[in-house]
Amino acid sequence: ETGVTQTPRHLVMGMTNKKSLKCEQHLGHNAMYWYKQSAKKPLELMFVYNFKEQTENNSVPSRFSPECPNSSHLFLHLHTLQPEDSALYLCASSQGASGGNEQFFGPGTRLTVL
Amino acid sequence: SQQGEEDPQALSIQEGENATMNCSYKTSINNLQWYRQNSGRGLVHLILIRSNEREKHSGRLRVTLDTSKKSSSLLITASRAADTASYFCAQGLEYGNKLVFGAGTILRVKS
């Protein structure tokens, strides 16, 4: 295991539902990331948090709302999603968020939007 | 777009053969990293090569970096069925706080 956990591992939701993804890292890192991985597309960076502060929002639609209460926890709140949002959502952490540090990934949440 | 490209998109080899994957990128980098992903799982970091390094080894992995050509290659020697996975290169940017991933190479090692 990488020291990064994600829950739930699988999630099926309707377009009107509200759900949250959770990520926790046990590595003492201070940077955390959300990525989206869709079939046949490159890994897309969504958000970056460094010391609980959001430092990057990669033009993500407002139906995705991140929350980082402390350096160990990261949430992704989901509401009124679209079927094209179905994907594998990956959380990662690193020691610092500059110069491309090695990132440690969680196992991902497989999201299906009906 | 900062996104790099990987070549080939897919590679199928016999167990025991070597596998070579290539990555080209567009930006100024601090380092170049390679990650592995088993089907539907998270990515696992394999190796990092800094912009002032030309070659690096780790076990059966050999990575080269040519900053003049903005390219890198990953060589897996004596491949095993367990090496079957997707492999991604990631640019550690010189400026900013993120990695930029390529589209990946799907490697299948047949036993």
Side-chain angles (χ1 to χ4, degrees):
Chain A
E1 297 301 322
T2 62
V4 181
T5 59
Q6 289 187 244
T7 55
R9 295 294 308 281
H10 300 271
L11 178 62
V12 179
M13 59 187 289
M15 290 190 285
T16 58
N17 291 158
K18 289 184 179 181
K19 296 287 184 182
S20 295
L21 309 184
K22 178 183 176 182
C23 175
E24 183 174 0
Q25 58 97 359
H26 310 273
L27 301 168
H29 291 164
N30 48 43
M32 297 188 77
Y33 311 78
W34 278 118
Y35 290 90
K36 175 184 178 183
Q37 187 177 37
S38 305
K40 299 182 179 180
K41 291 179 71 175
L43 207 60
E44 300 173 57
L45 178 66
M46 300 175 72
F47 301 103
V48 180
Y49 278 83
N50 197 22
F51 289 102
K52 304 188 300 178
E53 298 298 320
Q54 188 180 119
T55 57
E56 181 122 4
N57 176 336
N58 207 22
S59 302
V60 180
S62 59
R63 58 186 184 270
F64 294 91
S65 175
E67 179 189 1
C68 188
N70 55 60
S71 293
S72 299
H73 294 85
L74 185 64
F75 296 89
L76 188 62
H77 304 298
L78 316 172
H79 62 98
T80 58
L81 294 191
Q82 305 299 311
E84 60 264 29
D85 296 321
S86 298
L88 182 67
Y89 288 84
L90 293 163
C91 172
S93 70
S94 69
Q95 185 57 46
S98 62
N101 294 316
E102 173 188 352
Q103 294 184 12
F104 293 76
F105 284 79
T109 294
R110 174 67 64 184
L111 173 67
T112 302
V113 181
L114 302 175
Chain B
S1 168
Q2 297 174 316
Q3 188 193 330
E5 294 181 359
E6 293 185 61
D7 169 60
Q9 291 184 330
L11 180 60
S12 184
I13 59 174
Q14 290 294 135
E15 203 165 29
E17 294 180 339
N18 296 341
T20 299
M21 290 159 267
N22 303 295
C23 169
S24 61
Y25 59 91
K26 300 176 184 178
T27 60
S28 293
I29 60 169
N30 184 51
N31 61 60
L32 196 290
Q33 302 178 32
W34 286 88
Y35 288 79
R36 164 196 168 125
Q37 183 182 33
N38 287 81
S39 180
R41 305 281 297 181
L43 279 71
V44 176
H45 182 266
L46 294 176
I47 194 166
L48 180 154
I49 185 166
R50 303 193 185 284
S51 60
N52 61 354
E53 297 177 308
R54 292 296 168 259
E55 187 170 315
K56 199 162 184 178
H57 296 254
S58 177
R60 293 184 296 114
L61 306 180
R62 173 179 169 248
V63 169
T64 62
L65 179 65
D66 186 336
T67 52
S68 66
K69 295 181 179 178
K70 287 187 162 56
S71 67
S72 175
S73 67
L74 171 68
L75 169 67
I76 304 175
T77 60
S79 64
R80 305 166 182 168
D83 294 328
T84 295
S86 294
Y87 292 83
F88 297 88
C89 68
Q91 305 163 53
L93 301 184
E94 190 170 23
Y95 303 103
N97 57 357
K98 61 184 183 182
L99 295 177
V100 177
F101 284 83
T105 293
I106 300 171
L107 172 66
R108 181 184 171 209
V109 181
K110 295 177 284 186
S111 56

